[in-house]
Amino acid sequence: MTSDVKQERKTVLIIEDEDNLLAPLTYNLEREGYRVVTATDGGEGLELAREESPSLVILDIMLPTMDGIQVCRVLRSESGVPILMLTAKGEELDKVLGLEMGADDYMTKPFSMRELLARVKAMLRRTELSPASTDGNAGGVITSGDLSIDVEARKVSLGGVPVKLKPKEFELLTLFAGHPGKAFTRDDILDKIWGGKDNIDRRTVDVHVRWIRQKLGEGDGAPRRIITIRGHGYRFEG
Ligand code: CA
């Protein structure tokens, strides 16, 4: 609880061109203890994201130079940083929600600041699941053979080649790789990654494991890091 690392402030990047939103967002997030960096257009936001490696990005859709949808796509292709989209009513919500976009959550304007802060907190909590970032080793890299997971930067590579994982895939792989040899039930995993098992099908876990295996080149017949334990769940073998 009192380690220096825990007290280190997380950086939130806000990309929003409306000052009447940017100012209160900045104020409230700083008051919650976050370090806040801001950009007022898409291109600048993307540059800042690369420079600052923020823990979370709040991203408006309607932006000068490059809209939030493009920014989201590029960001997602480069890192697994959690992205909270801000949308106006009637804006391309279908695109925001579409899987290919890769945003983790969205809020429709006008929204309550309290609700936004709660979402930010929840999103950041989900990224803290791995022991590498909770045991005082923030910025830690988990390695297993040629697999490397940079927990803080949310980047995964295999033999030095970047692997693009969606946020939930990243969190799941980090959970597994952070606990090699530990058996997880599907319910454990739903609790830890999806925040509960009540409204989610257990097969969601299986589908995500399949996607991760494919992305790690561990499809049918190939040796696997994530082992299926019949009648139980999964285990990561380093
Ligand atoms: Ca805007």
Side-chain angles (χ1 to χ4, degrees), residues 203 205-215 218-219 224 234:
R203 280 170 298 186
V205 176
D206 304 329
V207 170
H208 280 75
V209 167
R210 196 191 315 143
W211 287 338
I212 293 171
R213 282 173 172 162
Q214 282 169 0
K215 291 181 178 178
E218 300 178 0
R224 288 172 169 175
Y234 296 98

Side-chain angles (χ1 to χ4, degrees), residues 15-18 21 60-64 91 109:
I15 311 175
E16 165 64 83
D17 59 324
E18 293 157 61
L21 251 177
D60 187 30
I61 288 195
M62 292 295 286
L63 290 168
E91 249 170 19
K109 299 175 188 175

Side-chain angles (χ1 to χ4, degrees), residues 12-161:
V12 175
L13 167 61
I14 311 172
I15 311 175
E16 165 64 83
D17 59 324
E18 293 157 61
D19 192 52
N20 60 359
L21 251 177
L22 188 56
L25 275 171
T26 304
Y27 172 79
N28 280 282
L29 285 161
E30 284 181 343
R31 210 175 54 162
E32 291 289 309
Y34 302 110
R35 176 175 167 263
V36 177
V37 289
T38 62
T40 53
D41 72 65
E44 183 196 351
L46 202 52
E47 270 174 41
L48 263 183
R50 288 168 178 153
E51 282 166 21
E52 300 278 345
S53 294
S55 300
L56 184 129
V57 177
I58 297 175
L59 177 60
D60 187 30
I61 288 195
M62 292 295 286
L63 290 168
T65 72
M66 185 175 186
D67 72 27
I69 289 173
Q70 287 174 280
V71 174
C72 184
R73 264 200 202 109
V74 177
L75 266 180
R76 185 49 78 236
S77 73
E78 295 178 356
S79 88
V81 63
I83 301 171
L84 174 60
M85 300 287 302
L86 303 181
T87 74
K89 264 207 183 83
E91 249 170 19
E92 311 186 57
L93 203 55
D94 51 336
K95 279 195 192 166
V96 176
L97 295 173
L99 281 175
E100 86 279 8
M101 267 277 296
D104 299 74
D105 204 350
Y106 74 97
M107 297 199 74
T108 305
K109 299 175 188 175
F111 49 80
S112 100
M113 193 58 71
R114 187 196 280 183
E115 172 69 13
L116 179 129
L117 293 172
R119 300 266 189 106
V120 165
K121 210 170 169 183
M123 289 168 78
L124 286 170
R125 202 165 48 226
R126 288 201 291 270
T127 68
E128 283 171 359
L129 288 167
S130 98
S133 63
T134 54
D135 68 3
N137 186 24
V141 176
I142 301 173
T143 54
S144 169
D146 56 354
L147 174 68
S148 170
I149 305 171
D150 185 334
V151 176
E152 194 73 2
R154 293 176 72 88
K155 287 180 179 165
V156 174
S157 63
L158 193 62
V161 180

